[in-house]
Amino acid sequence: MSEKRFRGDFIGGDFVAPAGGAAFASRDPATAEGEVVLEAVGDVAAVDAAVAAAREAQRAWRRAGLEARIEALRAVQARVPAHTERIAQAITAEMGKPIAEARGEAASIAGKIEGVIAQLPYELPPAPPGAPGEQRFHPLGVVAVIGPFNFPVHLLNTHVVPTLLTGNTVVAKPSELTPLAGQRYAELFADADFPAGVFNLVHGLGDTGAALVAHPDVRGVVFTGSYDTGRRIRQATFDQPFKKVCLELGGKNPAVVLDDADIDQAVREILLGALLTTGQRCTATSRVVATPGVADALETRLVEAFRRITPGDPKDVTCFMGPLASHGARDRFVQQLAAARAQGAEALVEVRALAGGAYVTPSLYRVQGGEATLAEELFGPHVSFERAADRDDAFRRAADSPFGLSASLFSADAESWEAFYDQVPAGVVNINRSTNGASGLLPFGGVGMSGNWRPAGSLAPRNATYPVAYMRADLGARTPYAALDGLLGENA
Ligand code: NAD
């Protein structure tokens, strides 16, 4: 890999060595002991400097106009091919994502920029027909973008791009598990000579994120991460109603397979849904619910498939599933599954922790529904398998979760699709395809504990703005109001 040196925070267009703060390190989960990838420092005091730089740059950036902002983002886009491999290597080293998948994530930075530029006029339209004026979308100001480890670059970029294009400036914070990936992302902006202070990045642990979220000059927060952290952010901003807080949180996503499903298709999509990124996607399939006519065959097929798949070296370009993101995540995951078994879940395919890294094999448990541990987001390659009495029971079971991010139905029947959409609350509802693989050209976000209904994806530009009704009258025009005319006479 290319040089790995911690360059500090990216503030005002330069990398700035931290003056102090807490040391932390990212570690390669594909190594037995968790070899150090990057030693970094999180300096909470840097948050003030980064927000000040972003605030200072915001007015000029907003006034520069959309064309100038597009040009600046296109300069970043043009540099993506030269950075893709460096970014991908960092993602794989720090969180174990298979290199082919990591390359896709890195390359998607460019496509996202193109996509948002194309979508802006559609997502932020001037006014509905017949309106007596315009609607405009005003930037919020300084926006904090806080990212998780599982898409360490994409989930910064997917919010940074619409936020910048709409005239805001940004302070981003990558996950503490992936500081090198975050640094690589900032290097892209540095290399593109992006206007100083418009994009900033600070490293650190949760305390850095907390300081950023609470900062009074931060007018918007786009957070992607766990429910628990999202909840803390809501609490921390309770007394700042002026702050727009957008939360993209976890999921516990069901795939319902009805008797009339194409079983080959269902099996393949469930495998992709459950095991891509080693089950560490917010949209990962973690529950399968089947109706009686298909349940036996589906269970047999899933057991066979789960037994065949073992994790491999994420640096190998043919790797399908790598390790979990950290050794700690592996230990937690294995303990949670032990708790689920103690609550009555029956292991059809048991989890095994493998040597040489944070590797676990895919596991499949037969459950009755309601096992407390399996109601939580486990964030690993695991599926719980439930048998339903009939279609209604299947939909009821699918809906029985406090989360509501994505849900899939496998069926040939259009009426069943409508019933599924009606009865299973989720922000992403898929028919005959896996629960993951969301499109940036459509809204993305969840209901229930999965988020606060501020969808990202195509609607992200709205998160980064507040709407303004913009009405005007001709110079000298009089607003008719008979009762006032009666009082003031005809010259009024
Ligand atoms: P996490 O909540 O542990 O951390 C996310 C980020 O929040 C990190 O950068 C962390 O440093 C920061 N943070 C921690 N405490 C904070 C605080 N008090 N204030 C502000 N920031 C704070 O999440 P994770 O483990 O990195 O990511 C996995 C989670 O993210 C899963 O729950 C997954 O479902 C979710 N996720 C959601 C989506 C989505 O779009 N809905 C996408 C990907 C991941």
Side-chain angles (χ1 to χ4, degrees):
M1 196 198 305
S2 46
E3 185 212 19
K4 288 182 295 177
R5 176 178 62 88
F6 182 58
R7 300 179 66 184
D9 302 309
F10 185 66
I11 299 176
D14 286 315
F15 286 97
V16 182
F24 64 100
S26 57
R27 293 175 176 276
D28 185 345
T31 57
E33 303 298 329
E35 207 173 273
V36 170
V37 178
L38 188 73
E39 289 184 345
V41 176
D43 179 12
V44 177
V47 167
D48 277 345
V51 173
R55 194 172 169 203
E56 165 131 12
Q58 204 260 325
R59 178 175 286 230
W61 178 244
R62 170 165 67 83
R63 292 198 168 163
L66 181 59
E67 287 312 312
R69 295 197 291 269
I70 288 175
E71 197 181 318
L73 265 303
R74 284 217 193 278
V76 175
Q77 186 186 31
R79 299 306 301 146
V80 171
H83 287 250
T84 298
E85 191 58 24
R86 287 159 59 80
I87 293 172
Q89 294 282 347
I91 295 172
T92 297
E94 290 188 316
M95 55 73 67
K97 183 171 290 195
I99 186 68
E101 207 184 325
R103 287 183 179 132
E105 177 175 348
S108 77
I109 297 170
K112 184 75 200 173
I113 293 172
E114 201 55 48
V116 180
I117 291 171
Q119 270 182 304
L120 273 182
Y122 177 77
E123 295 302 338
L124 303 179
E134 295 168 45
Q135 62 188 17
R136 293 185 172 191
F137 294 86
H138 197 286
L140 300 174
V142 177
V143 174
V145 176
I146 299 180
F149 72 80
N150 64 333
F151 283 88
V153 170
H154 165 66
L155 285 172
L156 294 180
N157 186 62
T158 199
H159 295 294
V160 165
V161 171
T163 303
L164 291 178
L165 280 170
T166 46
N168 303 278
T169 52
V170 164
V171 180
K173 190 197 100 56
S175 163
E176 57 270 42
L177 264 59
T178 57
L180 184 59
Q183 176 169 301
R184 294 290 186 242
Y185 184 60
E187 284 169 350
L188 182 58
F189 284 80
D191 189 23
D193 284 330
F194 204 67
V198 173
F199 170 79
N200 308 273
L201 183 137
V202 291
H203 290 280
L205 309 172
D207 54 357
T208 299
L212 184 55
V213 159
H215 198 293
D217 289 339
V218 167
R219 296 296 154 137
V221 174
V222 189
F223 169 76
T224 312
S226 63
Y227 172 77
D228 287 344
T229 308
R231 185 170 174 273
R232 277 199 289 278
I233 290 173
R234 244 178 101 92
Q235 285 176 329
T237 53
F238 182 76
D239 288 326
Q240 297 176 317
F242 56 84
K243 197 168 277 185
K244 195 165 185 182
V245 177
C246 308
L247 303 174
E248 299 291 347
L249 311 177
K252 190 72 193 174
N253 311 297
V256 173
V257 185
L258 299 185
D259 289 358
D260 63 351
D262 177 325
I263 192 163
D264 293 337
Q265 179 185 45
V267 169
R268 187 177 174 85
E269 295 298 311
I270 289 167
L271 292 176
L272 290 171
L275 306 182
L276 280 182
T277 323
T278 318
Q280 300 164 112
R281 290 193 182 192
C282 54
T283 50
T285 306
S286 51
R287 297 181 292 145
V288 170
V289 183
T291 47
V294 72
D296 285 344
L298 183 65
E299 188 183 285
T300 305
R301 293 281 304 275
L302 287 176
V303 166
E304 277 168 14
F306 270 55
R307 284 196 180 131
R308 284 170 78 118
I309 295 172
T310 48
D313 180 359
K315 295 173 188 78
D316 177 346
V317 76
T318 64
C319 175
F320 171 65
M321 192 182 111
L324 287 170
S326 70
H327 294 68
R330 176 201 57 197
D331 296 344
R332 266 194 313 281
F333 180 69
V334 170
Q335 280 162 14
Q336 283 171 310
L337 289 178
R341 289 195 304 277
Q343 290 157 18
E346 181 191 342
L348 298 169
V349 182
E350 187 53 292
V351 62
R352 283 179 299 130
L354 306 181
Y359 292 106
V360 289
T361 56
S363 54
L364 182 73
Y365 286 8
R366 188 189 286 153
V367 302
Q368 304 306 314
E371 289 82 354
T373 301
L374 291 174
E376 295 166 20
E377 182 186 44
L378 302 184
F379 232 47
H382 178 80
V383 162
S384 58
F385 188 88
E386 267 179 74
R387 287 161 182 262
D390 54 25
R391 187 186 87 172
D392 281 352
D393 185 38
F395 290 179
R396 187 190 56 73
R397 286 169 182 268
D400 185 20
S401 166
F403 291 99
L405 189 53
S406 64
S408 287
L409 177 69
F410 294 89
S411 167
D413 176 29
E415 194 272 321
S416 291
W417 303 346
E418 287 303 321
F420 186 70
Y421 164 77
D422 271 353
Q423 292 171 41
V424 181
V428 177
V429 177
N430 288 339
I431 310 299
N432 293 328
R433 52 179 294 167
S434 101
T435 51
N436 61 28
S439 166
L441 298 178
L442 291 169
F444 181 80
V447 299
M449 278 169 50
S450 293
N452 64 346
W453 303 5
R454 295 242 157 100
S458 61
L459 294 184
R462 296 195 187 193
N463 289 338
T465 54
Y466 63 85
V468 177
Y470 187 81
M471 294 196 283
R472 61 185 132 198
D474 291 339
L475 187 66
R478 302 286 197 271
T479 299
Y481 206 92
L484 183 62
D485 294 345
L487 288 176
L488 300 181
E490 61 187 25
N491 293 328

